[in-house]
Amino acid sequence: QVHLVESGGGLVQAGGSLRLSCAHSGRRFSTTTMGWFRQAPGKEREFVAAIRWILDNTVYADSVKGRFTISRDNPKNTLYLQMNDLKVDGTAVYYCAASRVTLSIVDAGYDYWGQGTQVADSS
């Protein structure tokens, strides 16, 4: 079993910054891509960003391009999401996920999910 545990969520003002982390552990899994998704209240889960686990290829949702940065630390098996200039619509539960599909941007392409971490607007 693969375990993904997110952390770093919290309250943040509009325009503020926050960095989310996702610790990846468990049995060896052919992880090709790690991704971040988010789900706002009353809305469907949506893609945020993804990164290949070995190479540096990344892909972002248009709504976060230029403000969010996805990265990973392979020796630490940790995925990050640096969120800058957060907007009110950034309030959501953020999930990390692992996939065997290269840079999938749909949640159906991911095999394992964390439990999520809440990011909320404190304004």
Side-chain angles (χ1 to χ4, degrees):
Q1 184 72 327
V2 173
H3 297 284
L4 302 174
V5 179
E6 302 94 336
S7 61
L11 295 174
V12 60
Q13 288 188 337
S17 298
L18 207 59
R19 187 176 82 157
L20 306 181
S21 301
C22 174
H24 179 195
S25 64
R27 70 172 178 86
R28 185 168 296 279
F29 170 65
S30 299
T31 300
T32 299
T33 296
M34 295 289 292
W36 287 99
F37 288 75
R38 65 186 180 186
Q39 187 168 21
K43 295 186 177 181
E44 293 187 355
R45 187 163 56 191
E46 65 174 1
F47 170 76
V48 175
I51 186 169
R52 293 184 71 176
W53 197 242
I54 302 299
L55 301 177
D56 289 333
N57 307 71
T58 58
V59 61
Y60 293 90
D62 287 343
S63 59
V64 306
K65 278 181 182 177
R67 299 186 296 117
F68 289 14
T69 302
I70 188 171
S71 61
R72 73 249 183 299
D73 185 330
N74 290 35
K76 293 183 178 179
N77 284 329
T78 302
L79 177 73
Y80 301 101
L81 184 68
Q82 176 67 44
M83 304 186 294
N84 297 328
D85 190 23
L86 275 163
K87 302 187 184 303
V88 174
D89 63 0
T91 293
V93 177
Y94 284 72
Y95 299 90
C96 75
S99 170
R100 284 171 283 194
V101 177
T102 301
L103 292 179
S104 175
I105 63 171
V106 296
D107 54 7
Y110 288 78
D111 303 280
Y112 295 96
W113 294 82
Q115 82 290 348
T117 186
Q118 176 76 54
V119 174
D121 178 26
S122 65
S123 301

